[in-house]
Amino acid sequence: MPEPALDFVIAALEKVRETSSRAPRASRVVLARLQGVTIEMGRARPELVLSQVEGGAPNKAELLEPIRERVSTCLKCAHLACSRTQTVFGVGNPDANLMFIGEAPGVDEDRQGEPFVGRAGQLLTRILKAMNFAREDVYIANVLKCRPDTPSGTFGNRAPTPKEMQTCRPYLVEQIEIIQPKVLVALGAVAVEGLLGMRGTMRELRGRWHAYNGIPLMITYHPAYLLRNQAPSEKRKVWEDMLQVLERLDQPISERQLNYFL
């Protein structure tokens, strides 16, 4: 690290020590950010250093921005970079306690640059509303940040390949490490594979708690599945999963929510 930047880091740590009852602490993510602290005209930005030192109110939105920039210009999957309209990073509250993870953008998401804005996204929004959340209250992201390419003349979306997910997964890992939600929800088996690297049927996976790096993880059906399968029993399964999420978040559950069907 250049000497001016090091001086600012030391000054920032001293300020935290003087103004806080706790000793300065930094996670691996924060340390990585400090290694790449911005240098302008040979000088570090002290406000960026201060925001990244734990104990001094880190700005998660600011920490996510460099990742968003890297995603927007990512060329790791050349075929996806050529076919995409734009990348789809994530949306919502960086300080959210609840984070939803899908598999990949579809045609609507590719067009608008925001995850879950098509028919499946509209259903997810209704589910959130029934949970007494707005989209702005949670954080929503996908394993893949580009829409999987499809052969010319074909319609619909294809699932991402294991290689594509493995290539893109580090971006999602960074997002989760910064946001640090209290609960994660994986939507569908593909999202589970991309996040955990494990395969299984939804019958085996959903409805019970798993964990990702110590964060409670609930696995449930993707909203697109519910659009294909309108059986009340399947919709009820998803809602029962969401009731478990509300309980884990210590959110009050009303009688109406207990008896609710999607």
Side-chain angles (χ1 to χ4, degrees):
M1 183 181 292
E3 287 188 9
L6 181 59
D7 291 340
F8 277 120
V9 172
I10 294 173
L13 292 171
E14 289 177 345
K15 183 172 182 179
V16 170
R17 185 173 60 185
E18 292 170 1
T19 59
S20 175
S21 60
R22 296 188 311 166
R25 296 180 298 110
S27 67
R28 292 181 181 179
V29 173
V30 172
L31 290 173
R33 298 291 178 275
L34 291 175
Q35 291 294 329
V37 67
T38 304
I39 307 297
E40 294 179 354
M41 302 295 291
R43 301 180 63 186
R45 290 168 53 196
E47 73 278 5
L48 182 59
V49 176
L50 280 171
S51 73
Q52 292 183 351
V53 177
E54 288 189 0
N59 186 322
K60 294 181 181 181
E62 189 175 59
L63 293 176
L64 286 170
E65 198 55 35
I67 309 170
R68 182 191 300 273
E69 292 174 2
R70 283 190 280 121
V71 167
S72 68
T73 58
C74 182
L75 302 175
K76 292 179 181 179
C77 301
H79 59 296
L80 300 185
C82 290
S83 64
R84 73 190 182 208
T85 301
Q86 59 190 314
T87 56
V88 180
F89 181 68
V91 69
N93 181 7
D95 296 305
N97 289 327
L98 178 58
M99 181 174 179
F100 287 83
I101 299 171
E103 55 183 65
V107 62
D108 295 305
E109 290 75 18
D110 177 67
R111 185 183 300 116
Q112 297 185 41
E114 183 175 322
F116 284 91
V117 294
R119 291 181 63 219
Q122 293 166 16
L123 178 54
L124 178 59
T125 300
R126 295 201 299 272
I127 293 172
L128 289 173
K129 184 177 180 180
M131 297 172 73
N132 290 329
F133 288 123
R135 283 176 66 98
E136 295 77 19
D137 297 326
V138 304
Y139 198 89
I140 307 172
N142 285 314
V143 174
L144 220 64
K145 309 306 184 189
C146 296
R147 184 194 179 204
D149 56 339
T150 54
S152 179
T154 61
F155 298 94
N157 303 309
R158 73 163 174 85
T161 67
K163 183 177 180 180
E164 289 168 345
M165 290 191 290
Q166 183 180 12
T167 301
C168 204
R169 184 178 181 274
Y171 294 131
L172 177 63
V173 170
E174 287 187 86
Q175 286 176 294
I176 296 172
E177 288 181 341
I178 290 172
I179 296 167
Q180 283 295 304
K182 291 183 178 179
V183 173
L184 285 165
V185 176
L187 300 169
V190 175
V192 174
E193 181 181 352
L195 182 63
L196 301 181
M198 59 181 282
R199 293 188 179 186
T201 66
M202 290 303 294
R203 185 176 302 173
E204 299 168 332
L205 298 172
R206 66 145 292 274
R208 58 186 178 87
W209 287 105
H210 304 258
Y212 169 81
N213 284 357
I215 301 174
L217 169 67
M218 175 57 66
I219 298 171
T220 194
Y221 290 115
H222 194 286
Y225 169 78
L226 297 182
L227 294 175
R228 297 190 302 269
N229 189 335
Q230 297 286 332
S233 60
E234 299 304 282
K235 294 180 179 181
R236 182 61 192 180
K237 289 175 184 176
V238 172
W239 185 243
E240 288 173 351
D241 297 341
M242 294 305 98
L243 289 177
Q244 290 195 63
V245 169
L246 288 174
E247 186 177 12
R248 181 59 68 99
L249 290 170
D250 293 323
Q251 294 293 311
I253 299 175
S254 67
E255 190 69 26
R256 181 176 180 274
Q257 286 175 314
L258 284 173
N259 299 312
Y260 183 76
F261 278 83
L262 299 178

